[in-house]
Amino acid sequence: MTMLLFLIPVALFLGGLGLIAFLWALKSGQYEDLDGAAERIFVENDELPSKEQTPARASL
């Protein structure tokens, strides 16, 4: 029974922390474009990376 006195506040704290994280994500725009990432997979990127962006290959 005494364990419940410890676990109930811990559970309420963790639930509140999750709620705050969800509200922060909602406010920062994490859920505004749900379909964009899924559609960007199917779009081909025709631009080739320039030689300046890949300096590791230049040394090979």
Side-chain angles (χ1 to χ4, degrees):
M1 186 68 179
T2 58
M3 196 61 156
L4 288 177
L5 295 175
F6 173 72
L7 290 177
I8 289 174
V10 169
L12 290 174
F13 174 73
L14 291 176
L17 196 63
L19 180 65
I20 290 171
F22 173 72
L23 292 175
W24 172 79
L26 192 65
K27 187 176 180 180
S28 66
Q30 296 289 321
Y31 296 105
E32 288 183 1
D33 187 20
L34 295 176
D35 295 330
E39 292 174 0
R40 278 191 293 270
I41 292 173
F42 298 114
V43 176
E44 289 187 27
N45 190 3
D46 292 337
E47 297 178 15
L48 295 174
S50 66
K51 292 181 180 179
E52 295 174 4
Q53 292 177 347
T54 57
R57 289 187 165 200
S59 63
L60 295 177

